[in-house]
Amino acid sequence: MKPKSKLQSEIRHLRTFVAAAEFGSFRKAANGLHVQESAVSRRIRDLEDQIGASLFIRHAGGIALTLAGQRFLTRARLALGQLDEGLREVSAIGRSETGHLRVGLFSSIASGFVSRLFGLYDDRYPSVEVDFIEGSAECHMFLLNKLQMDIAFTIGNRKQHPYDAHELWREQVFAAVWDEHPLGAKSELSWSDLALEEFLVRPGGPGDEVRDYLSLRLSQIGRQPRFRVQNIGRYSLLGLVASRRGVAPMLASETAISIPGVIYRPIAGEILPFFAITSPKNDNPAARTLLSLARILSRSENSRP
């Protein structure tokens, strides 16, 4: 039989003491606890020896609390109540019924795989609080290492890192252009079509990866992209596209954003993989259930004809 820990033994002694006080009898307490009366007597004696005071007065009709026992009973009930509450909380966290998740995002959560994933997750685990952090893969890796982020959904997985990477979905790359742009007449664009365009991008975070991605693709056809960096949000960036200040690269999930004067055209052959990145050092149960659900959703969607 596995030996009891000191903490388990102390909790057992406290529960025995409270039961004896409530029943007013070692025999009745033993029946309630499903143990021998001698075990109850031994536990009470051990507890009295440990605290250095008598807790009960033994008499022919049973037992009665001493003054020390009366005061200790109040404390014991409070301690056991807090312990039971703590055990319920920890158990709920272990089942991911409650908890806190910090999630890194590269793209919008408004639509697409991530939107569907968190729709399912919120339905199953409504008491888990989720905080979203938008940023680059490099930023996400730093936060994962510091255990300040639980899971990151990010583009690509080219650079080596010590984290676990799980490919979940892929997205087509689009170009957002104004509605009267000559490229709008095409059903599909090539990089050569975009070579002379000015790209509107945001600084830092995902914007850095977007610029690297565009530089790589255009360099492959002997071109260098022209960037106009704008320190504004995604919606405002599309507003600049509508005002003919440039074009903007977009993911399929982002094309759900409807801005008057803006149309989207796919870039031929440009489909990017997205990964869930987690740290093996992270033991957050809510993160494990989220990743498990993400993989189930991924298999379900990838198996569709």
Side-chain angles (χ1 to χ4, degrees):
M1 181 181 294
K2 186 177 180 180
K4 297 281 187 180
S5 70
K6 183 179 179 181
L7 177 60
Q8 288 175 310
S9 178
E10 290 175 347
I11 293 172
R12 181 187 60 190
H13 281 52
L14 284 179
R15 294 193 187 280
T16 301
F17 164 67
V18 171
E22 292 177 345
F23 282 107
S25 163
F26 286 175
R27 179 180 58 81
K28 293 180 180 179
N31 290 336
L33 295 171
H34 306 290
V35 298
Q36 297 294 320
E37 183 177 348
S38 59
V40 173
S41 180
R42 184 175 62 254
R43 293 174 190 176
I44 297 301
R45 185 175 63 250
D46 291 344
L47 188 56
E48 290 176 327
D49 290 344
Q50 182 178 355
I51 64 179
S54 295
L55 298 172
F56 294 102
I57 299 173
R58 283 76 167 171
H59 53 78
I63 56 174
L65 285 166
T66 63
L67 178 60
Q70 293 172 18
R71 293 187 176 179
F72 188 63
L73 178 61
T74 301
R75 300 292 186 181
R77 282 173 170 162
L78 179 62
L80 289 173
Q82 291 178 335
L83 177 64
D84 288 340
E85 182 179 355
L87 289 173
R88 286 193 295 271
E89 289 180 358
V90 171
S91 179
I93 291 173
R95 298 190 301 270
S96 297
E97 294 174 2
T98 63
H100 183 205
L101 268 175
R102 296 154 299 184
V103 178
L105 296 176
F106 176 85
S107 62
S108 171
I109 195 175
S111 64
F113 182 91
V114 175
S115 177
R116 294 189 293 275
L117 171 62
F118 279 96
L120 293 172
Y121 192 81
D122 290 344
D123 287 342
R124 296 191 185 188
Y125 307 105
S127 296
V128 176
E129 181 181 349
V130 183
D131 291 334
F132 295 102
I133 305 167
E134 188 178 70
S136 64
E138 184 177 0
C139 173
H140 292 159
M141 299 298 181
F142 175 81
L143 294 176
L144 286 168
N145 182 57
K146 297 294 184 180
L147 299 181
Q148 295 173 4
M149 180 178 288
D150 298 301
I151 186 169
F153 296 100
T154 189
I155 189 173
N157 190 40
R158 297 189 305 273
K159 297 180 180 179
Q160 290 189 343
H161 57 74
Y163 308 105
D164 298 325
H166 313 268
E167 184 176 338
L168 297 175
W169 80 99
R170 295 184 171 225
E171 289 195 37
Q172 173 80 50
V173 181
F174 286 72
V177 301
W178 58 90
D179 54 5
E180 295 183 1
H181 194 295
L183 293 179
K186 294 191 172 187
S187 61
E188 190 176 67
L189 305 179
S190 67
W191 287 115
S192 296
D193 293 327
L194 296 164
L196 300 179
E197 299 297 325
E198 187 166 48
F199 291 95
L200 300 172
V201 295
R202 295 186 293 161
D208 293 339
E209 290 186 62
V210 169
R211 290 196 296 276
D212 290 345
Y213 167 72
L214 293 173
S215 296
L216 174 64
R217 285 293 185 259
L218 289 173
S219 68
Q220 292 172 341
I221 61 170
R223 298 284 187 172
Q224 291 297 320
R226 294 187 300 135
F227 296 121
R228 178 177 290 183
V229 180
Q230 302 292 324
N231 191 17
I232 55 178
R234 187 178 283 103
Y235 284 88
S236 298
L237 197 71
L238 288 171
L240 294 183
V241 173
S243 64
R244 306 185 179 196
R245 295 180 180 273
V247 302
M250 306 292 287
L251 295 166
S253 59
E254 297 173 315
T255 61
I257 302 173
S258 179
I259 299 290
V262 174
I263 57 176
Y264 302 102
R265 292 294 180 264
I267 302 176
E270 288 301 310
I271 299 177
L272 298 180
F274 276 78
F275 293 78
I277 311 294
T278 58
S279 169
K281 297 185 295 183
N282 189 303
D283 62 354
N284 186 343
R288 290 199 297 270
T289 55
L290 175 61
L291 178 59
S292 176
L293 186 60
R295 296 170 79 170
I296 292 171
L297 179 62
S298 175
R299 289 195 294 270
S300 173
E301 295 195 350
N302 290 334
S303 65
R304 294 175 184 173

